[in-house]
Amino acid sequence: MIVVNLDVMLAKRKMSLTELSERVGITMSNLSILKKGKAKAIRFSTLESICRTLDCQPGDVLEYRD
Amino acid sequence: MNAVSNTASLRSIKFLYFVTRVLFWLSILFSVIIFSVLIYGAFGNDIGVRVSISSGDMIIQETIDYSDELISVVASDPANDSLANALNSNDFFLVMANANKNFANLGMSKEPEYLVFNQLPISSKLIILTYLVLMMSLTILSIWYFKRFMLLNIDGNHFQKETIKNLRLLSYSILLVWVVNFLFEIIISSIWGKNGFINSLDDLSIIVDVPSISLLLFALVLRVLSHVFMYGVELKEESKLTI
């Protein structure tokens, strides 16, 4: 399964979910869905924005676990 | 232009919903009246209802000229002793009525053949009552599911699980109407049919006729459509949960 480590990256960058939401341009409800792992899919454009804002790689946000 | 056509479409759906509501209450009223009359007739009271022995269809006595006099003529004729015995020994009266020629016959006529409902044995009455109760209940149930389906569509819940569930249940109830009708026509024709149980293609063709096949196809098409719409619901949810 794919695990979203958004909260870990946010903690590392000392950034709140509200700040990320404002800087990436995604609604809080959508970010919350992504953070809780309820999202079915993520667009490349969204992933790109998150990686640019958090200065990280896609693999830092997404992780595959058995 | 698109908004205008959408508004017109919504209006027509609202009108259809109104018609369905009226139809729903009328069907309940109609079912209660029919059931009450048949229960009254089941206790031996003459309600003027005749039952077709070939199809189980029921008619109100208007054109059939059936009288005791005709039966007594047949029964008193020495040449028809066996016929008279057959009439007397039968569990119930077998009355072949003909409105135009005004004669009684046994098993020879091609004219429609009818039984007097209140003179049927209790087992036959129960079969007819069960058939009618099942058919009326399933018809009301189908209209109710259709009404719910329309209401959910009017509310804008087109691709919702609840809406599609109603469509699926509607298809099942229509399918049950067909199955019940098919089974009871077999039962009725095997009890009262000339050939006993169905043993010829002619008898089968009465049961599996074109309107009956249309109903079956309609139910199956609705079932497939509900499956397609359910896939639409999944796509909508997936789209909603794509960030």
Side-chain angles (χ1 to χ4, degrees):
Chain A
M1 63 181 290
I2 301 292
V3 180
V4 181
N5 291 320
L6 195 62
D7 47 350
V8 177
M9 287 309 296
L10 283 170
K12 278 183 184 172
R13 301 289 183 262
K14 294 177 181 170
M15 196 184 285
S16 69
L17 202 65
T18 315
E19 192 182 344
L20 182 70
S21 161
E22 284 167 0
R23 288 175 69 173
V24 173
I26 305 172
T27 60
M28 275 292 286
S29 60
N30 275 347
L31 265 186
S32 182
I33 288 169
L34 189 63
K35 195 182 146 192
K36 286 175 185 169
K38 286 184 179 175
K40 293 251 182 186
I42 182 165
R43 289 190 190 92
F44 278 155
S45 55
T46 310
L47 191 61
E48 189 184 333
S49 302
I50 290 170
C51 289
R52 192 190 309 121
T53 309
L54 293 175
D55 190 24
C56 65
Q57 291 298 312
D60 297 329
V61 180
L62 302 174
E63 184 190 346
Y64 172 72
R65 282 185 203 162
D66 278 329
Chain B
M1 185 70 183
N2 197 20
V4 172
S5 75
N6 276 345
T7 312
S9 173
L10 191 64
R11 271 185 196 161
S12 64
I13 288 177
K14 276 183 180 172
F15 176 71
L16 208 57
Y17 173 67
F18 172 74
V19 171
T20 314
R21 272 184 69 181
V22 172
L23 197 67
F24 175 70
W25 290 111
L26 276 179
S27 62
I28 288 179
L29 185 72
F30 190 63
S31 302
V32 168
I33 291 170
I34 289 181
F35 186 71
S36 309
V37 168
L38 285 179
I39 285 288
Y40 181 70
F43 286 104
N45 304 297
D46 189 7
I47 51 173
V49 171
R50 303 289 179 266
V51 185
S52 165
I53 62 170
S54 56
S55 64
D57 294 337
M58 302 184 85
I59 59 160
I60 307 293
Q61 182 187 16
E62 278 179 0
T63 54
I64 291 176
D65 187 7
Y66 149 67
S67 66
D68 293 336
E69 189 186 333
L70 286 171
I71 299 301
S72 63
V73 168
V74 173
S76 62
D77 187 351
N80 286 321
D81 273 352
S82 58
L83 183 62
N85 289 335
L87 281 168
N88 294 327
S89 63
N90 273 346
D91 289 335
F92 51 84
F93 255 61
L94 193 62
V95 178
M96 312 302 167
N98 187 317
N100 302 320
K101 296 176 184 173
N102 197 19
F103 71 99
N105 200 352
L106 190 65
M108 300 298 287
S109 174
K110 293 286 182 189
E111 300 295 331
E113 297 156 12
Y114 294 94
L115 303 172
V116 183
F117 178 75
N118 57 310
Q119 290 177 356
L120 292 176
I122 192 73
S123 58
S124 303
K125 281 178 191 169
L126 274 177
I127 288 172
I128 291 171
L129 278 174
T130 311
Y131 170 69
L132 279 169
V133 167
L134 276 172
M135 288 298 281
M136 288 186 297
S137 311
L138 286 170
T139 307
I140 290 170
L141 196 69
S142 302
I143 298 172
W144 190 75
Y145 283 135
F146 185 63
K147 193 169 76 77
R148 289 264 305 157
F149 177 70
M150 299 287 284
L151 182 64
L152 286 164
N153 270 303
I154 288 169
D155 291 344
N157 302 319
H158 307 292
F159 284 96
Q160 296 286 334
K161 277 187 179 171
E162 186 64 24
T163 313
I164 311 307
K165 193 180 143 192
N166 275 287
L167 188 66
R168 197 176 64 231
L169 290 171
L170 174 66
S171 75
Y172 287 148
S173 56
I174 292 175
L175 191 65
L176 270 176
V177 167
W178 185 84
V179 170
V180 167
N181 191 42
F182 182 76
L183 288 178
F184 271 86
E185 283 205 10
I186 288 178
I187 292 168
I188 289 169
S189 67
S190 64
I191 292 172
W192 295 323
K194 287 177 190 171
N195 302 325
F197 193 72
I198 293 166
N199 53 6
S200 71
L201 280 175
D202 286 344
D203 286 345
L204 200 63
S205 67
I206 295 169
I207 295 164
V208 189
D209 53 359
V210 174
S212 139
I213 290 291
S214 306
L215 192 68
L216 175 67
L217 280 176
F218 180 63
L220 294 177
V221 165
L222 279 186
R223 178 69 190 90
V224 173
L225 276 180
S226 71
H227 179 75
V228 171
F229 284 134
M230 194 54 91
Y231 182 64
V233 171
E234 283 171 19
L235 282 180
K236 190 191 172 190
E237 276 185 6
E238 204 170 287
S239 164
K240 198 177 169 186
L241 290 172
T242 298
I243 312 299

